[in-house]
Amino acid sequence: MILLEINNRIIEETLSLKFDGASNGNKPEGLDVTFADFDGVLYHISNPNGEKTKVMVSISLKFYKELQEHGADELLKRIYGDFLVSTEDGYNVSLLYDLDALPANKEEVIHQAGMLKRNCFASVFEKYFKFQEEGKEGEERAVVHYRDDESMYLEAKKDRVTVVFSTVFKDDDDVIIGKVFMQEFKEGRRASHTAPQVLFSHREPPLELKDTDAAVGDNIGYITFVLFPRHTNANARDNTINLIHTFRDYLHYHIKCSKAYIHTRMRAKTSEFLKVLNRARPDAEKKEMKTMSGKTFSR
Amino acid sequence: MELPPCVVDCGTGYTKIGYAGNTEPQFIMPSCIAIREWAGVGDQAQRRLVKGVEDLDFYIGDEAAEKPNYATKWPIRHGMVEDWDLMEKFMEQIIFKYLRAEPEDHSFLMAVLALAASWTSRQVGERTLTGVVIDSGDGVTHAIPVAEGYVIGSCIKHIPIAGRDITFFIQQLLRDREAGIPPEQSLETAKAIKERYCYICPDIVKEFSKFDSDPGKWIKQYHGVNAVTKTDFNVDVGYERFLGPEIFFHPEFANPDFMQPISDIVDEVIQSCPIDVRRPLYKNIVLSGGSTMFRDFGRRVQRDLKRVVDARLKFSEELSGGRLKPKPMEVQVVTHHMQRYAVWFGGSMLASTPEFSQVCHSKKDYDEIGPSICRHNPVFGIMS
């Protein structure tokens, strides 16, 4: 798996199960599941008010307020329409599905439910992509603190949109592997000229952020994506958003896979060394020994 | 809201994963992984060294089942991890693809054989932490005594009969008798028949005569589809229905080296425990694991065990010339509806308690102290 998946399998499987059960005419069972996603996102699927024929899917994102400033509510209303209902206590967005009135396009509805987190994020990107399309420069930079000490900065210019991710490497080894990975990642334009330009800065924020309070530190890295109109135009927009909103998780996933691969190599090398050692063990030869009185014996 | 810990139970046959606080695992998948295998030179370890991103080219669980250019491997045998390379890869996809959890953000609870079993010995309602857990999965069966929350490690006994052995046994019986089953599918057919039609009988002789006298009522039909020719085939399911699971009580049917029935093993386990916990242990025998789900498994274990215990008490009474009358021993086998995922469920309940975060070990501790931190588990000191 090179790219992380965008949809949440647990939502899709749970809803599929319920929808199929309802269309087969089975009486629905009670449901109450709490689970999580990347970036501290929590979901809750339950039966509101104990009504087993209604399934509510709620999501909580710590940074939802910031997304709301950029039009998250409108976008969600556009995509989910009537499924969007007043939010459950403690959560930010709630969708309600009625098992007695199943929608005709079940698969599509389930797929969209699985993309709930992505759709929450999408509004910020769409807004800034539109700015670039309309040539509006000078709009304020968007800041989304999607993790406790990590943020995402978005800025639109006439001919490009810059997205800057700040990320923290909790482990010192991660810093090294991250740097090597980003070194290769930057060179993506060698492989394909459609790739966006990527810049990586370790410790210090890039020039675009020089007037902000962006953090400085040994274990902090900044990754800048420069997206051109070919990435932000209406045709490519959805795909770009899909790929970029989980970039931080993608980076850390690959760092961990690299570590796992290093372990594999370590195991292979260890078994090789063991073989060499075993070959090198001298045979217990029969040695002829003589004592002082002249008796010989062999050990 | 705090992020819930992740609970992972990797068994020989199936892996159950999910988030703590839920009653059921979110995913249950076979513990297999499909990797691209190159028929090259060098041993397995050498062959795993690949270039580029090829090490990420693999599938796990249900997706691993039918991939044409991939070889399916099972990293866990008899409850123990045998191939760590594959196990690491397996965990990669579990964490990032299925659970979608960032390891730095969540605590993880990995179900290790005996420890999780002790939590399942908690009776629903009453919290007694004393009992014997009979945990029977696909690869291995254990009888594990737990006293006051402490797993008496030295008294744990393994039984080499588990789900897979029952499946093999049924496959052999079917092979001798039924001609219609396509050979590549014989194992899956045996497995499906085992899960659907098998049960535990109180007495094999009586069962044989029941089947012989009224075949129409007892012999069932299994319909399968040949994966290659797409034609149907029918299988008669007869004596396998009760002979399969019977190998728990007559292991010599399937395994020439092992003769002791499971009830004897449980009895031995309890007798090897300190004398003061024996009565409570007999009173609370808990079943867990997929292979304990056969109908009437609990009743049969209870009956056989009670026979053994009563015989011993009677013998001691005779030896004392009738002077000592031991109090009759209460033997009780507890079945509950969480049996199949009992271990996972126990882990989920354990991880959702507030004390859990205090007993978790961090990577820093591991780097400092080493693997021995996992050997001692302070969990049960706090739970009382």
Side-chain angles (χ1 to χ4, degrees):
Chain A
M1 184 173 79
I2 300 182
L3 289 173
L4 290 177
E5 292 186 346
I6 319 221
N7 51 329
N8 187 303
R9 279 178 179 243
I10 302 182
I11 297 184
E12 292 190 345
E13 282 185 17
T14 314
L15 282 183
S16 273
L17 206 68
K18 286 290 163 196
F19 282 14
D20 287 342
S23 55
N24 289 343
N26 302 342
K27 209 163 98 58
E29 285 174 7
L31 184 61
D32 192 340
V33 198
T34 317
F35 52 98
D37 201 323
F38 294 123
D39 303 328
V41 168
L42 271 177
Y43 294 99
H44 186 212
I45 302 188
S46 58
N47 302 115
N49 304 328
E51 290 172 55
K52 297 204 182 133
T53 49
K54 303 248 187 323
V55 178
M56 174 174 274
V57 179
S58 301
I59 183 174
S60 122
L61 306 107
K62 278 194 271 212
F63 48 97
Y64 192 65
K65 266 230 181 53
E66 293 171 345
L67 295 176
Q68 268 178 323
E69 289 171 21
H70 298 287
D73 288 333
E74 290 81 30
L75 189 133
L76 290 174
K77 186 87 197 142
R78 202 181 74 210
I79 297 186
Y80 295 106
D82 291 330
F83 293 124
L84 195 63
V85 296
S86 57
T87 31
E88 195 181 326
D89 247 350
Y91 291 87
N92 297 118
V93 179
S94 293
L95 303 172
L96 189 67
Y97 297 96
D98 191 347
L99 295 178
D100 286 332
L102 287 179
N105 53 343
K106 269 196 309 194
E107 299 295 326
E108 177 57 32
V109 167
I110 293 179
H111 175 72
Q112 280 300 346
M115 305 276 261
L116 184 51
K117 175 173 180 251
R118 179 260 184 216
N119 288 332
C120 288
F121 254 107
S123 55
V124 186
F125 291 104
E126 289 204 350
K127 182 167 161 202
Y128 280 76
F129 289 175
K130 277 225 176 59
F131 282 163
Q132 183 269 314
E133 210 175 32
E134 294 162 5
K136 286 196 197 152
E137 192 160 325
E139 294 284 341
E140 222 183 76
R141 189 187 296 126
V143 185
V144 180
H145 296 93
Y146 63 100
R147 288 179 70 92
D148 280 339
D149 26 1
E150 300 184 14
S151 325
M152 189 174 69
Y153 305 88
L154 271 161
E155 190 165 354
K157 297 218 172 45
K158 247 202 311 261
D159 59 344
R160 63 182 68 176
V161 178
T162 10
V163 186
V164 186
F165 286 94
S166 80
T167 184
V168 171
F169 299 107
K170 285 222 174 73
D171 196 46
D172 294 327
D173 301 332
D174 284 0
V175 176
I176 302 170
I177 300 182
K179 272 170 65 170
V180 175
F181 184 84
M182 287 312 303
Q183 191 74 17
E184 281 303 309
F185 199 72
K186 273 201 304 208
E187 319 275 315
R189 293 194 114 190
R190 271 189 309 187
S192 154
H193 6 263
T194 53
Q197 193 184 8
V198 182
L199 304 156
F200 175 63
S201 157
H202 174 218
R203 293 199 81 242
E204 309 227 317
L207 291 172
E208 285 97 345
L209 300 179
K210 66 177 174 347
D211 50 355
T212 59
D213 56 353
V216 175
D218 267 331
N219 55 348
I220 299 188
Y222 289 89
I223 299 110
T224 310
F225 281 89
V226 183
L227 300 172
F228 297 113
R230 57 148 23 105
H231 309 119
T232 60
N233 65 53
N235 293 347
R237 190 168 293 171
D238 281 341
N239 186 40
T240 305
I241 297 178
N242 284 350
L243 292 172
I244 203 167
H245 85 280
T246 47
F247 175 73
R248 185 259 175 214
D249 307 307
Y250 166 87
L251 172 63
H252 283 261
Y253 163 66
H254 277 277
I255 293 178
K256 305 214 163 53
C257 290
S258 307
K259 288 203 227 171
Y261 179 66
I262 293 178
H263 294 159
T264 307
R265 291 193 71 124
M266 281 161 63
R267 281 185 209 109
K269 213 54 181 166
T270 311
S271 62
E272 214 184 281
F273 282 150
L274 278 176
K275 280 210 205 76
V276 173
L277 273 179
N278 285 335
R279 277 201 299 266
R281 179 175 297 151
D283 293 327
E285 302 161 11
K286 276 201 174 302
K287 293 201 287 204
E288 282 263 292
M289 314 273 279
K290 264 190 151 85
T291 63
M292 252 183 47
S293 49
K295 275 209 284 220
T296 56
F297 61 91
S298 59
R299 187 177 295 183
Chain B
M1 261 176 288
E2 263 299 315
L3 286 178
C6 304
V7 182
V8 177
D9 174 16
C10 293
T12 309
Y14 291 93
T15 296
K16 285 73 77 182
I17 58 176
Y19 286 93
N22 296 316
T23 49
E24 272 188 344
Q26 268 68 67
F27 293 101
I28 300 146
M29 55 175 78
S31 304
C32 60
I33 173 172
I35 55 172
R36 282 199 171 267
E37 210 163 38
W38 313 109
V41 282
D43 67 7
Q44 181 186 274
Q46 297 300 326
R47 265 181 276 142
R48 297 270 169 79
L49 306 178
V50 293
K51 291 210 202 38
V53 285
E54 283 164 25
D55 62 309
L56 295 178
D57 189 6
F58 64 91
Y59 295 94
I60 66 173
D62 292 312
E63 292 182 355
E66 262 140 61
K67 287 269 178 314
N69 292 332
Y70 293 77
T72 313
K73 307 271 176 198
W74 300 79
I76 307 185
R77 301 274 84 202
H78 302 294
M80 316 237 279
V81 178
E82 298 209 335
D83 189 331
W84 283 102
D85 287 337
L86 295 182
M87 197 62 205
E88 255 194 301
K89 290 193 155 100
F90 191 79
M91 291 306 300
E92 259 173 37
Q93 275 202 1
I94 282 190
I95 296 175
F96 286 97
K97 184 166 171 178
Y98 291 89
L99 287 177
R100 293 173 70 87
E102 190 75 49
E104 285 139 356
D105 297 339
H106 295 260
S107 318
F108 272 76
L109 185 145
M110 306 288 297
V112 175
L113 242 24
L115 293 176
S118 62
W119 198 249
T120 70
S121 75
R122 182 184 78 153
Q123 286 189 342
V124 181
E126 298 165 33
R127 283 183 54 160
T128 72
L129 288 176
T130 303
V132 177
V133 179
I134 302 180
D135 182 15
S136 181
D138 198 48
V140 68
T141 303
H142 299 270
I144 302 159
V146 180
E148 301 294 318
Y150 178 75
V151 175
I152 311 178
S154 49
C155 302
I156 297 180
K157 277 217 160 44
H158 313 286
I159 303 164
I161 304 285
R164 196 149 298 193
D165 306 290
I166 302 185
T167 310
F168 273 140
F169 186 62
I170 295 182
Q171 182 194 27
Q172 276 176 333
L173 291 176
L174 288 176
R175 201 183 288 170
D176 293 335
R177 201 185 63 223
E178 299 280 337
I181 311 178
E184 323 78 62
Q185 286 173 255
S186 62
L187 198 61
E188 332 160 359
T189 311
K191 186 152 169 271
I193 290 178
K194 171 187 84 166
E195 289 172 8
R196 222 181 289 179
Y197 296 117
C198 284
Y199 63 94
I200 299 252
C201 65
D203 182 342
I204 14 178
V205 177
K206 288 212 190 92
E207 215 64 21
F208 270 114
S209 51
K210 265 202 253 180
F211 269 63
D212 291 335
S213 61
D214 194 356
K217 179 170 168 216
W218 294 98
I219 297 190
K220 301 279 178 201
Q221 289 281 318
Y222 171 79
H223 304 286
V225 181
N226 187 322
V228 177
T229 66
K230 306 286 178 212
T231 50
D232 287 343
F233 63 87
N234 278 346
V235 178
D236 275 337
V237 187
Y239 304 136
E240 302 73 66
R241 287 185 70 192
F242 59 88
L243 279 181
E246 189 65 28
I247 62 172
F248 273 120
F249 302 94
H250 291 279
E252 58 271 14
F253 291 171
N255 189 333
D257 304 315
F258 193 76
M259 313 269 201
Q260 282 183 298
I262 192 172
S263 33
D264 281 4
I265 298 282
V266 175
D267 188 52
E268 265 181 32
V269 161
I270 301 182
Q271 288 301 310
S272 62
C273 289
I275 195 165
D276 52 337
V277 293
R278 287 181 204 167
R279 266 187 202 275
L281 288 179
Y282 276 117
K283 230 169 52 167
N284 189 21
I285 299 174
V286 180
L287 301 179
S288 107
S291 298
T292 58
M293 303 265 303
F294 293 111
R295 189 159 56 95
D296 293 337
F297 186 88
R299 284 225 311 235
R300 174 77 184 270
V301 170
Q302 182 170 314
R303 188 198 75 177
D304 286 2
L305 194 54
K306 195 145 177 35
R307 277 198 198 145
V308 170
V309 166
D310 287 345
R312 189 173 47 236
L313 292 182
K314 194 153 157 309
F315 189 52
S316 67
E317 198 184 319
E318 283 169 24
L319 280 181
S320 69
R323 272 173 295 141
L324 293 170
K325 281 216 172 10
K327 201 167 88 173
M329 190 78 87
E330 193 189 329
V331 175
Q332 199 185 4
V333 175
V334 180
T335 57
H336 51 112
H337 56 266
M338 279 283 108
Q339 237 160 275
R340 188 136 188 228
Y341 313 120
V343 173
W344 189 90
F345 177 67
S348 171
M349 293 297 107
L350 181 59
S352 38
T353 56
E355 297 94 7
F356 178 67
S357 46
Q358 295 161 17
V359 299
C360 271
H361 305 294
S362 69
K363 181 163 191 287
K364 231 197 246 138
D365 297 335
Y366 177 77
D367 286 338
E368 187 67 34
I369 303 177
S372 59
I373 47 169
C374 299
R375 308 266 159 77
H376 163 65
N377 201 300
V379 164
F380 303 106
I382 304 182
M383 324 275 172
S384 55

